[in-house]
Amino acid sequence: MTTENTEISAALARIAPSRTTAMTDRAIALRDAGRDIISLSVGEPDFATPPHVVAAAKAALDDGQTKYTAVGGTARLKAATVLHFARDLGLQVPVSQVTVSAGGKQAIFHALLATLNPGDEVLIPAPWWVSYPEIVRFAGAEVVALATTASGGFRITAAQLEAAITPRTRWLLLNSPGNPTGATYSARELRALGEVLARHPRVLVMSDDIYAPLRYGPNGSGGDMHATLAVECPDLAERVLTVSGVSKSHAMTGFRIGVAAGPEWLIRAMERLQSHSSGNPCSISQAAAVAAFEGPQEFLADWRERFRARRDACVAALNAIPGLSSPVPDGAFYCMVDATPLMDHFGPASDPNRDEALALHLLEHGVAVVSASGFGGRDGFRISFAADDARVAEAIARIAAALTPAALNHANLASYTSVTK
Ligand code: GLU
């Protein structure tokens, strides 16, 4: 028997499906249907997960580690997480101040859900990662966009932060290196933001550092220590939640392991919520993450260099396409491409989501990307260059072919329907 009431909750009705995962699902469905699609929509390294990590997962299975663990992660993984924060981010925290979740996304979800009330405001530099504003809205709080520009390196300034804080501000969400722009804050810039935050003790700060190992310079030179707020401004550490993980650094996206370090009250609040949402993160994945944090890290330098070479090739090829421009990202593995000169083909300027039609047009030509409007930007798209060099080159050749005047004039743009419908 079917129910007559199929209404979803008011909280869910406030949010849209994730545009990164929706586009990726659509690309997978087209591929399953026999279409030749190159997916540059989701951010995941194409490199194989390191063999020692895979071996640790297998050994955990053989060892019967197939049961519940402590909700916030095994003692072994929490200890490895403490090591990771100290070694890779310079952040010294006791084991009582770290927790483990099913991906960094879940840590962020729990932290925001555990602390936000209706009426609270959350400051998010835009362009932002797709899930930040949706989680905030799901929690019933308000998103306050802090607009950034390509010429300003997609970074907010201290003055901009000061002007945006109100008595209702509860969180500032920082992401460095950032998704989708690669924006990377220097230690000096973080200290300037910290001076502002010091005057507003009610504001919590999320420092999403998941891309920390992937810095190319000039603002985030790969050789230097990654700069993170809780280290640069120790006086603020009691209200900073630093999020990290193994997905991007160790090509372990499918394992779903994220870690966080922060004040004990917040860590306990997140674990309280996790005890009712997923319970513990996957036991096998936790064993693999121990190997990732404790095992050799040398391969990272090689991966970073390969990503840097891809970034340079990708930016050059995109900028050679008439109508497209891409700044050089300082970190992560995305290019945020502006397509403003071409956008009249895809809808009136009054439509802030007309770049969805552009993304669907590119999909028609065999490349999956995510529209800029999904990230709080507009009139462009994000591509991930975390794919094999030849595939990225072929994808950009397809994009060029899709955007010639002839291809644009022949496109049946009206046939494109939203990727999230
Ligand atoms: N964070 C990655 C991305 O932006 C993975 C997909 C997602 O969770 O949004 O592509």
Side-chain angles (χ1 to χ4, degrees):
M1 215 165 72
T2 56
T3 175
E4 280 176 11
N5 186 354
T6 57
E7 209 175 309
I8 58 170
S9 69
L12 189 63
R14 284 195 292 270
I15 71 173
S18 159
R19 242 190 257 183
T20 47
T21 56
M23 186 49 115
T24 305
D25 288 354
R26 189 177 281 205
I28 291 170
L30 286 172
R31 258 199 217 140
D32 288 349
R35 292 275 306 277
D36 170 22
I37 304 288
I38 301 178
S39 182
L40 302 182
S41 52
V42 76
E44 69 176 348
D46 60 314
F47 303 135
T49 307
H52 65 278
V53 173
V54 175
K58 287 182 182 161
L61 262 178
D62 290 340
D63 185 40
Q65 293 179 38
T66 53
K67 304 289 169 61
Y68 293 130
T69 74
V71 165
T74 61
R76 188 79 202 282
L77 180 52
K78 283 197 169 184
T81 299
V82 166
L83 166 82
H84 158 67
F85 277 118
R87 180 193 60 209
D88 303 327
L89 281 80
L91 181 60
Q92 312 287 341
V93 278
V95 79
S96 60
Q97 289 185 217
V98 299
T99 191
V100 183
S101 53
K105 186 170 350 197
Q106 194 187 40
I108 295 166
F109 194 90
H110 286 164
L112 294 174
L113 265 283
T115 51
L116 285 172
N117 286 305
D120 285 342
E121 293 173 351
V122 178
L123 308 180
I124 320 181
W128 48 49
W129 174 51
V130 288
S131 291
Y132 294 148
E134 304 297 354
I135 298 171
V136 169
R137 289 189 195 108
F138 186 71
E142 281 167 38
V143 173
V144 177
L146 302 183
T148 67
T149 58
S151 57
F154 292 116
R155 297 188 292 277
I156 59 165
T157 62
Q160 196 179 5
L161 175 62
E162 181 78 72
I165 294 177
T166 75
R168 300 193 323 177
T169 307
R170 187 63 173 133
W171 281 94
L172 164 68
L173 307 188
L174 285 178
N175 176 209
S176 171
N179 175 4
T181 63
T184 304
Y185 289 82
S186 68
R188 193 177 47 78
E189 287 162 339
L190 289 177
R191 287 198 293 270
L193 297 179
E195 277 176 29
V196 175
L197 291 162
R199 292 193 284 276
H200 301 278
R202 183 174 179 268
V203 180
L204 302 169
V205 188
M206 171 105 52
S207 178
D208 181 351
D209 291 32
I210 193 86
Y211 295 100
L214 300 172
R215 289 166 291 115
Y216 316 110
N219 216 36
S221 161
D224 297 345
M225 189 68 178
H226 166 70
T228 193
L229 190 72
V231 174
E232 296 310 323
C233 306
D235 291 350
L236 297 181
E238 270 307 295
R239 51 192 167 107
V240 177
L241 184 74
T242 308
V243 178
S244 184
V246 288
S247 295
K248 315 293 180 181
S249 57
H250 289 70
M252 291 174 66
T253 45
F255 283 86
R256 308 311 303 136
I257 292 292
V259 296
E264 206 164 327
W265 70 269
L266 180 56
I267 295 294
R268 295 289 87 74
M270 292 162 65
E271 290 184 350
R272 196 200 301 190
L273 189 49
Q274 186 157 305
S275 75
H276 291 294
S277 60
S278 58
N280 65 268
C282 167
S283 55
I284 308 302
S285 297
Q286 289 192 63
V290 169
F293 285 147
E294 291 183 351
Q297 308 293 314
E298 290 71 28
F299 67 92
L300 277 173
D302 173 51
W303 284 14
R304 181 165 48 233
E305 281 319 303
R306 288 164 70 187
F307 278 132
R308 185 203 299 266
R310 282 178 190 178
R311 173 198 68 166
D312 293 344
C314 195
V315 168
L318 286 165
N319 282 323
I321 299 175
L324 298 188
S325 60
S326 168
V328 182
D330 283 337
F333 37 52
Y334 308 104
C335 286
M336 193 64 169
V337 186
D338 179 80
T340 305
L342 304 175
M343 290 312 295
D344 284 345
H345 290 281
F346 297 99
S350 56
D351 176 3
N353 292 313
R354 61 180 173 167
D355 56 7
E356 246 202 291
L358 166 62
L360 291 166
H361 175 67
L362 296 179
L363 188 61
E364 223 17 69
H365 284 76
V367 187
V369 300
V370 185
S371 45
S373 52
F375 303 95
R378 61 171 296 163
D379 291 347
F381 58 90
R382 182 196 81 170
I383 83 167
S384 162
F385 55 82
D388 160 272
D389 306 54
R391 299 281 288 165
V392 175
E394 166 63 17
I396 296 178
R398 290 182 188 185
I399 292 172
L403 299 178
T404 60
L408 286 169
N409 288 335
H410 285 113
N412 181 10
L413 301 178
S415 68
Y416 298 139
T417 54
S418 163
V419 71
T420 56
K421 299 256 165 62

